[in-house]
Amino acid sequence: MKKIVVALGGNAILSKDASAESQQEAIFKTAQVLAEFIKRGHQLVITHGNGPQVGNLLLQQVAGSSDKNPAMPLDTIGAMTEGSIGYWMQKALGEILQKAGISKTVATVITQTQVAADDPAFKKPTKPIGPFYDKIEARKAKEKNPDYVFVEDAGRGYRRVVPSPIPEKVVEYPLVAMMLENGMVPIAAGGGGIPVSQNKNHQIIGQEAVIDKDYGAAKLAESIGADELIILTAVDYVFVNFNQPDQKKLTNTTVAELKKYIAEKQFAAGSMLPKINAAIEFVEATQGKAIITSLDRVTDLLEKGVGTIITS
C-alpha cells in the first residue's frame, strides 16, 4: 500500500463545455479511473486544477457586478471553485466506490495555501486562467479590462495571466493526514489551494492570485509524507525536442537529468515546466517518486509503470 497524491489536469474536469452537466460527466469518468488506486489498496489524496473554472466564474462575476452586488475577489472565487469541483468529485467517487462495495468517506477540504506577501510573483503575473482567446478577442477583452494581462499560451491562443506565488505551506495538511489515517479519501488543495498570507498581527489575508496546482500538490504531498506524486496531464510522457523530428520521450529519468533539460529550455513555461519543477521539488524533499503521465494511461501505470518516472 502506498500513500499517493494525484494531481489532475484541467482536461480531467472540463471537456466539452463549461456547463455543470458537462463537467460532472467528465469528472465521473475521471473518478472511475481514480477508483482503481483505491481498489488496489492505496491511500489516495486527490488534487485538481481549476484555472478554466476560475476564469469563467470571474467573467460571470465581472459581468454581473454592481455597487450593491460587487464581484467577489479572486481568492474567494478560488474557494468557490474548489468547493464546487470538490463536491462533484466526492459525489462521483463516493457513488463509484459504493457500487464496488468499498466503504470509504470521500470529502473535500477547502484548503488555504500560505504564500509570502512579498513574493516577486505579485509584480509579474504568469499563471493562465480562464478561456483561450484569439488575438482579436484578447485585445477586446483588454480594452474592457485594462488591468488584465494576456499572454500567448504554448501555441494554443491567448489567456489572461495572474500572479502565481510559490506555496510555503498547505495550512490544512494535518487534517488531510488525519483523514488518511482514518481510511478516508481527501480531495484537497484544489487549484493549488487558496492563496493567503499572514500579517504581523497574525491575520490571514486572501491574495489576488492563484497557486499553480502542481506546486500545491507537491507541497501537500511533501507535508503528508506521500510515497508518490502522480501528475496527470494531456500527454502520456514528458518529451524533449517536443514536436520536432528528433522528439524523444522520457521514461525513467532523474532530477539531475531534468535540470539539464530545463537549462536547455526544453519545457514550455506555461505548460510542462511547472509540472517538472513540482516533481523535482517533491523528489528532492522526500526521496520519493514522481510520475507524469495521462489520465488515459493510469491502468497501464498501475500495472506496467507507464509514464515518465522521476527519481533522485
Side-chain angles (χ1 to χ4, degrees):
M1 183 179 68
K2 297 177 183 177
K3 188 183 298 183
I4 300 172
V5 173
V6 171
L8 297 171
N11 61 313
I13 301 168
L14 187 62
S15 55
K16 294 183 294 184
D17 58 61
S19 70
E21 292 78 12
S22 177
Q23 292 184 76
Q24 287 182 84
E25 287 176 10
I27 285 175
F28 190 85
K29 293 177 182 177
T30 296
Q32 288 177 313
V33 176
L34 296 180
E36 293 303 314
F37 289 97
I38 299 166
K39 290 176 182 178
R40 285 167 167 79
H42 299 304
Q43 292 180 304
L44 182 67
V45 178
I46 301 168
T47 71
H48 59 80
N50 66 350
Q53 292 78 14
V54 164
N56 291 337
L57 183 54
L58 186 59
L59 290 175
Q60 293 173 0
Q61 291 279 321
V62 171
S65 180
S66 67
D67 290 339
K68 292 184 177 180
N69 187 26
M72 294 292 104
L74 192 54
D75 62 314
T76 301
I77 289 175
M80 293 164 72
T81 57
E82 192 176 4
S84 61
I85 294 170
Y87 157 61
W88 293 333
M89 180 64 71
Q90 69 188 43
K91 184 161 67 76
L93 187 55
E95 178 183 329
I96 291 164
L97 294 178
Q98 188 175 35
K99 285 184 178 179
I102 299 173
S103 178
K104 276 190 178 292
T105 297
V106 184
T108 301
V109 179
I110 303 302
T111 312
Q112 301 171 96
T113 301
Q114 191 167 312
V115 302
D118 59 353
D119 190 300
F122 288 110
K123 295 182 179 179
K124 188 179 180 181
T126 58
K127 183 63 178 173
I129 63 170
F132 288 93
Y133 298 89
D134 61 31
K135 196 169 186 177
I136 295 174
E137 291 170 335
R139 188 182 71 241
K140 289 180 179 179
K142 175 74 172 176
E143 290 171 354
K144 290 182 180 179
N145 305 278
D147 292 337
Y148 284 10
V149 178
F150 289 89
V151 299
E152 197 276 331
D153 187 354
R156 298 176 292 179
Y158 290 80
R159 294 178 80 186
R160 184 189 170 194
V161 291
V162 298
S164 183
I166 297 297
E168 296 184 332
K169 176 185 177 183
V170 177
V171 177
E172 286 79 15
Y173 86 84
L175 175 58
V176 175
M178 183 178 69
M179 290 173 69
L180 286 177
E181 289 170 3
N182 286 275
M184 301 179 187
V185 182
I187 302 165
I194 305 156
V196 299
S197 59
Q198 195 170 35
N199 65 18
K200 294 179 180 178
N201 296 322
H202 304 291
Q203 292 175 304
I204 301 297
I205 310 297
Q207 295 290 345
E208 282 282 307
V210 296
I211 305 294
D212 182 276
K213 60 95 178 170
D214 296 311
Y215 285 131
K219 182 59 67 175
L220 177 60
E222 174 190 341
S223 300
I224 65 172
D227 300 299
E228 292 182 2
L229 169 65
I230 300 177
I231 299 176
L232 299 179
T233 184
V235 294
D236 296 344
Y237 296 90
V238 176
F239 291 87
V240 293
N241 303 321
F242 186 59
N243 278 339
Q244 302 299 318
D246 58 346
Q247 171 179 290
K248 182 181 76 170
K249 68 182 180 184
L250 302 179
T251 52
N252 292 281
T253 186
T254 64
V255 166
E257 186 177 14
L258 289 177
K259 286 184 176 180
K260 182 188 72 172
Y261 289 134
I262 290 172
E264 296 173 0
K265 301 188 183 303
Q266 284 281 355
F267 309 120
S271 54
M272 187 54 72
L273 183 59
K275 297 171 176 56
I276 297 293
N277 282 330
I280 289 173
E281 179 182 324
F282 170 73
V283 172
E284 287 187 327
T286 66
Q287 303 304 304
K289 180 191 298 182
I291 302 166
I292 300 176
T293 191
S294 70
L295 181 68
D296 296 336
R297 300 302 296 274
V298 163
T299 300
D300 292 333
L301 166 64
L302 289 167
E303 295 178 353
K304 306 173 187 176
V306 168
T308 297
I309 300 172
I310 303 157
T311 58
S312 55

